[in-house]
Amino acid sequence: MTGTTSDTPAFPEPPRRPARTRVVIAAALVLPLGLAGWFGWRAVSGGSGPDARTPAPTASTASRDSLITDANSDPLGTSPAPSGTAAPSPSAGTGGAAPAASNQLAGRTVLLDPGHNSGNAQHTKEIGRQVDIGNARKECDATGTSTNAGYSEAEYTLDVVRRARAILQSRGARVVLTQDGDRPWGPCIDERARIGNDARADAAVSVHGDGAPAGATGFHVIMPARVTAGLADTSKIVEPSQRLGLLLRDRFKEATGEPFADYIGKQGLDTRSDLGGLNLSKVPKVFIECGNMRNADDARRMTDAEWRQRAALGIADALTAFLTT
């Protein structure tokens, strides 16, 4: 401004307040801010004192959908997980969120039995021999069925079992398989039962696909009948197997949307006394026929990788519920 220098203020400076007045004003400003910060901290911490904290998320709160994310690339590969190492998560290598690990099944052993074997057709003599199932003699194993397009039951069951294994291992379970694509054929039905018995499994599920007439559709769970004959004695496992069967029926339907079978059983359940894998089991065990591979609608679902991931989740959820309730 004209007539001023840099040392001279443009406007007269107001008179200064006494020092005591300035202290009082500062205190009046600081106190409300401090109270506001304290109330804000209580709101965040839950208001239960200086040690309160917002609970950290646990594995049980992880999104169930994270186990289904990006399942299209066969996340488990074609070879078994090395002994003593964790299997890849169901979304590993696909960019999907990996499921949170938990220990809810720590100390529990699960037997998963993928029905049949892709090599059985080349070993008809071996699988055709008769084995003792307690109340009868039956063939060691069978080739299994397939979709009209050639997707085999053995391929389907091994894929679903591997996916279920990954989920169960992520929950802390020890998972034993009757075969993991590492045998040229079999095993026989009596050995399948024995593997679960020797492992002292807490529960066992045998996974299958059915080969019913093309007009039939849906899934069903097979539970053991009471059989006490020769090598077979299911008297101790009938009741817990029925409980497992009900849980598997409900969880599988919830996960996949597959209807109950309209050609066998009742409301998705059947009871049989002619299956060696059930007759010879000493641990709670059921079979699941996940759908009719000869039916066009069922086949379309069963050949879809995302649907198979949902099937695996339904199986894993049923086993988890059985072992934790």
Side-chain angles (χ1 to χ4, degrees), residues 67-75 90-91 94 159 163 304-310:
L67 297 173
I68 305 173
T69 304
D70 296 327
N72 294 314
S73 61
D74 184 11
S91 55
T94 64
D159 181 81
R163 293 171 185 271
D304 178 72
E306 183 178 352
W307 190 92
R308 292 196 302 274
Q309 184 71 16
R310 293 182 181 277

Side-chain angles (χ1 to χ4, degrees), residues 45 93 139 146 210 226 298:
S45 67
E139 290 184 344
S146 68
D210 214 352
R226 188 174 296 275
D298 285 3

Side-chain angles (χ1 to χ4, degrees), residues 50-190:
D51 293 329
R53 296 292 185 271
T54 302
T58 64
S60 62
T61 64
S63 171
R64 187 170 179 267
D65 289 341
S66 68
L67 297 173
I68 305 173
T69 304
D70 296 327
N72 294 314
S73 61
D74 184 11
L76 303 183
T78 57
S79 60
S83 177
T85 63
S89 74
S91 55
T94 64
S102 73
N103 291 317
Q104 63 190 128
L105 295 180
R108 312 310 294 268
T109 297
V110 173
L111 184 283
L112 295 178
D113 176 26
H116 310 296
N117 186 317
S118 293
N120 280 0
Q122 287 74 51
H123 294 271
T124 54
K125 181 179 179 181
E126 290 88 345
I127 68 170
R129 70 180 181 85
Q130 299 284 301
V131 299
D132 187 354
I133 67 166
N135 58 358
R137 296 186 69 82
K138 292 189 70 172
E139 290 184 344
C140 153
D141 203 359
T143 58
T145 188
S146 68
T147 67
N148 292 334
Y151 181 58
S152 73
E153 180 183 2
E155 291 177 88
Y156 169 82
T157 62
L158 186 56
D159 181 81
V160 169
V161 160
R162 285 173 171 170
R163 293 171 185 271
R165 173 178 63 185
I167 298 170
L168 290 164
Q169 286 178 333
S170 76
R171 297 173 182 178
R174 170 182 175 241
V175 182
V176 177
L177 270 58
T178 56
Q179 60 96 3
D180 195 8
D182 52 355
R183 299 179 59 137
W185 58 274
C188 294
I189 53 178
D190 56 342

Side-chain angles (χ1 to χ4, degrees), residues 5 20 71 88 96 100 103-105 121 142 147-149 192 195 234 275 301 310 320:
T5 69
R20 182 177 179 181
N103 291 317
Q104 63 190 128
L105 295 180
T147 67
N148 292 334
R192 290 175 186 266
I195 292 170
T234 63
L275 297 176
R301 288 187 283 267
R310 293 182 181 277
T320 300

